[in-house]
Amino acid sequence: MKISKSYAFQSFAIVIMATGFFLVFKTYLPKKIFKETEVNNKHIVVDSLLLEAIQEEKEAHNNKQSNIETDSLSGENLDGMPFSDEPASSFRGLVYLQAFYEKLYQLEIEQKGKVRIAYYGDSMTDGDMIVQDLRRSFQNKYGGDGVGFVAITSESAGSRSSVSHQFSPNWKVQSYLNVKNPLRPFGINGHVFFAKDTVNSTWVRYKSSTVAHLDFLNKPTLFYGRSNNSRAQLRMIVGKDTVYKKLNPVNELNTLTLSEGNLKGFKADFIHADSIPIYGVNFDNQQGVHIDNFSNRGNSGLPLTTFKPSIMNQFQQKLGYQLIILHYGTNVLNYGSYNYSWYERQMTRVVDNLRNCFPGVSILVISTADKATKYDLTMQTDSAVVPLVNAQRKYAISNQAGFVNLYQLMGGDGSMVKWVDEVPAKANKDYTHFNHRGARDISNMIFKQIEEGYDTYKKGKTVAPQTVEPTVVKPKPKDTVKIKRKVSLDVH
């Protein structure tokens, strides 16, 4: 088939005209018109409390923010709490981790006690990313073996190298991401699991890793809740041996030691155990440092307000946390505004609830990392990142929590693009999540900052008491603001 010259000329002319129109109108198009990459969202969710908070904020149109004349901080020693005199722009608040540092000091210097950390996060810590490296750093220096608390089921079990974790498909799961009123209270990991009493058994299987400090399942202990069920039992299969153990769900929180020693692996079948809330299995050697990874894809951190203090107090009695890390932000970006004052308020509620659930615990806030988005066909730092980091820093300040500015530690503006483009790469092509190499670097940055605060704390401990002068809060110039228990600061 021959194409006439006139037809070919017309087609060519149309292409030229279309190109010209695009170049002319390109300046009037919005900068952000393309997604930077196609991401598989099959297993990605956003928690219901975040969606509600966003909707409430849009309806209220609440754009008010407090104003201060400076970014300097001063404070008073109220309720036995120290105060930070750091500039807000470089605030780290390591002084607020002194309760945690005291326990670490007792472990390292006095060789007594143990230290436990709960690391709550979103998809950035999925598959034990970042956390497994932080756990290794602490255990290398301060001792301790064991992966910590592991849920019954997990969306990231297949990608986790710190423990091999398999489970039957017939578990009923309720998550604090999408359920407000669970059948039984949520456990320490924000979930509650129920075994279905069907023809097919409901089971879970764990196997140790080859990673340092995790080559055994240390003293596995099952955590479960209250029920009227009196016939439930657990069939424990270790190699060729089978042992039956009775479940006795009489208290709001119960424990069952599955083995007094260390195991390489085991399978647990739950028999006639329907209606009993099951929470997970803890693995630790009762000494040194242990870090539990409580990550959930799509989590904003707000679901932590649904924790019930009565049962969390019991988890605290049995597990004994000294530090809670809150690592969120990925799912809060790009909700439609750069005003995150609503998130500050909501996360203040989270911190208040956590302190009721875990009295005396220190809290460390880790900001969102850098994230890149396509503007004018070029990958650049998303314009929502800095406003969110500022909001996270402000709620850390007002709640007397430590703060890690992950965005700044990465390198600030444009850093995610560099982490993706450098060879070898340290982040994925979604320009949001780290790969294993990058996660290790992030973990080292977090560990280093925590250690810097601890070194300062130890120096204070080595000074003889009689030589320590009492802290005197001198009057500050009028352009400073005293912070008490709660303040709201507009930090830019």
Side-chain angles (χ1 to χ4, degrees):
M1 177 179 175
K2 294 183 178 180
I3 301 176
S4 65
K5 292 183 179 181
S6 59
Y7 180 79
F9 178 78
Q10 291 176 5
S11 300
F12 180 73
I14 291 173
V15 171
I16 295 299
M17 291 176 63
T19 302
F21 278 118
F22 175 76
L23 293 175
V24 171
F25 289 106
K26 177 176 179 289
T27 56
Y28 300 99
L29 293 174
K31 288 185 176 182
K32 188 177 176 181
I33 57 176
F34 300 114
K35 291 179 64 176
E36 55 271 22
T37 184
E38 287 296 325
V39 181
N40 183 0
N41 292 319
K42 180 180 178 180
H43 301 295
I44 303 300
V45 296
V46 177
D47 68 70
S48 59
L49 289 180
L50 173 62
L51 295 176
E52 289 180 8
I54 290 174
Q55 184 60 34
E56 290 174 3
E57 179 66 16
K58 287 181 178 179
E59 292 175 356
H61 296 287
N62 183 5
N63 292 315
K64 295 181 180 180
Q65 293 185 355
S66 62
N67 294 309
I68 60 174
E69 297 177 1
T70 180
D71 68 351
S72 297
L73 299 177
S74 178
E76 296 177 347
N77 191 342
L78 301 176
D79 302 325
M81 291 290 290
F83 68 88
S84 173
D85 58 0
E86 305 168 87
S89 59
S90 58
F91 174 81
R92 300 197 301 172
L94 297 177
V95 68
Y96 297 133
L97 304 185
Q98 67 172 9
F100 164 69
Y101 287 147
E102 174 59 25
K103 291 294 184 180
L104 200 59
Y105 183 83
Q106 292 176 12
L107 173 64
E108 181 189 30
I109 306 299
E110 302 175 10
Q111 296 294 302
K112 62 181 182 180
K114 55 184 179 179
V115 173
R116 197 175 195 101
I117 300 170
Y119 199 120
Y120 288 95
D122 50 28
S123 58
M124 299 299 286
T125 55
D126 195 46
D128 219 15
M129 297 280 279
I130 299 176
V131 182
Q132 63 185 3
D133 297 305
L134 186 64
R135 183 186 300 114
R136 185 185 303 113
S137 294
F138 271 103
Q139 292 182 338
N140 281 342
K141 182 171 182 179
Y142 301 102
D145 291 317
V147 72
F149 196 97
V150 182
I152 295 297
T153 76
S154 171
E155 59 194 356
S156 63
S159 61
R160 186 169 184 173
S161 61
S162 53
V163 64
S164 175
H165 181 197
Q166 297 174 309
F167 43 85
S168 61
N170 53 345
W171 283 96
K172 177 179 175 61
V173 183
Q174 290 192 308
S175 167
Y176 65 171
L177 266 67
N178 48 38
V179 176
K180 284 187 177 180
N181 300 302
L183 298 174
R184 293 291 189 275
F186 294 123
I188 190 72
N189 51 17
H191 291 73
V192 58
F193 306 88
F194 297 92
K196 293 183 180 179
D197 195 8
T198 60
V199 175
N200 297 320
S201 64
T202 307
W203 55 269
V204 61
R205 181 187 289 117
Y206 302 98
K207 184 179 179 181
S208 63
S209 169
T210 57
V211 177
H213 305 289
L214 307 180
D215 51 347
F216 284 102
L217 301 176
N218 306 86
K219 195 179 180 180
T221 303
L222 176 70
F223 282 67
Y224 61 104
R226 176 183 287 139
S227 172
N228 293 323
N229 187 336
S230 60
R231 63 176 187 153
Q233 57 181 333
L234 183 145
R235 181 168 56 223
M236 182 92 168
I237 304 172
V238 183
K240 296 181 179 181
D241 298 326
T242 300
V243 177
Y244 288 84
K245 294 178 178 287
K246 182 176 174 55
L247 297 179
N248 189 26
V250 295
N251 300 314
E252 189 173 26
L253 182 63
N254 310 277
T255 59
L256 175 63
T257 301
L258 303 182
S259 173
E260 290 291 348
N262 300 331
L263 303 176
K264 282 291 188 178
F266 69 90
K267 179 184 178 184
D269 290 327
F270 291 78
I271 303 171
H272 303 307
D274 58 313
S275 80
I276 298 180
I278 311 295
Y279 294 120
V281 182
N282 178 56
F283 306 98
D284 73 65
N285 67 340
Q286 302 294 305
Q287 59 188 5
V289 178
H290 301 98
I291 304 181
D292 301 331
N293 182 4
F294 300 132
S295 64
N296 295 108
R297 300 171 187 172
N299 199 350
S300 66
L302 304 189
L304 290 166
T305 57
T306 63
F307 275 179
K308 186 179 177 182
S310 63
I311 192 171
M312 292 302 156
N313 290 165
Q314 295 178 60
F315 270 105
Q316 177 68 345
Q317 290 175 8
K318 295 180 182 298
L319 295 173
Y321 294 101
Q322 283 79 41
L323 176 65
I324 291 179
I325 297 177
L326 302 176
H327 187 169
Y328 296 107
T330 305
N331 303 289
V332 188
L333 291 166
N334 299 329
Y335 84 101
S337 171
Y338 299 143
N339 174 18
Y340 286 100
S341 59
W342 61 273
Y343 189 63
E344 297 170 43
R345 294 191 298 271
Q346 295 290 342
M347 288 305 291
T348 290
R349 291 180 56 222
V350 166
V351 173
D352 287 342
N353 191 48
L354 289 175
R355 284 183 167 142
N356 287 329
C357 292
F358 308 96
V361 72
S362 299
I363 293 178
L364 176 65
V365 177
I366 298 181
S367 81
T368 184
D370 188 30
K371 169 186 167 63
T373 300
K374 189 168 288 184
Y375 297 100
D376 284 337
L377 306 182
T378 303
M379 298 303 296
Q380 304 174 39
T381 289
D382 192 287
S383 53
V385 168
V386 172
L388 178 56
V389 171
N390 287 337
Q392 291 174 309
R393 176 168 49 203
K394 287 159 65 178
Y395 93 73
I397 292 172
S398 63
N399 288 280
Q400 294 186 318
F403 181 68
V404 174
N405 190 333
L406 200 53
Y407 165 73
Q408 189 176 61
L409 289 179
M410 285 181 64
D413 185 59
S415 56
M416 180 56 77
V417 175
K418 295 177 182 177
W419 281 49
V420 172
D421 291 345
E422 67 181 58
V423 179
K426 295 193 290 187
N428 299 326
K429 286 293 186 178
D430 63 357
Y431 291 87
T432 302
H433 297 90
F434 304 108
N435 58 25
H436 284 280
R437 186 177 294 103
R440 191 179 306 114
D441 285 356
I442 292 297
S443 170
N444 290 337
M445 293 173 183
I446 296 171
F447 183 69
K448 180 181 178 181
Q449 182 165 319
I450 293 174
E451 283 285 283
E452 288 174 356
Y454 180 50
D455 288 341
T456 300
Y457 180 81
K458 285 196 293 186
K459 290 177 182 176
K461 296 282 287 188
T462 58
V463 179
Q466 61 268 24
T467 64
V468 178
E469 297 182 0
T471 300
V472 178
V473 181
K474 298 180 180 180
K476 297 282 185 176
K478 65 179 181 179
D479 63 346
T480 62
V481 176
K482 286 189 175 183
I483 61 170
K484 297 196 177 187
R485 190 64 181 174
K486 299 285 186 290
V487 298
S488 179
L489 299 172
D490 189 15
V491 181
H492 297 283

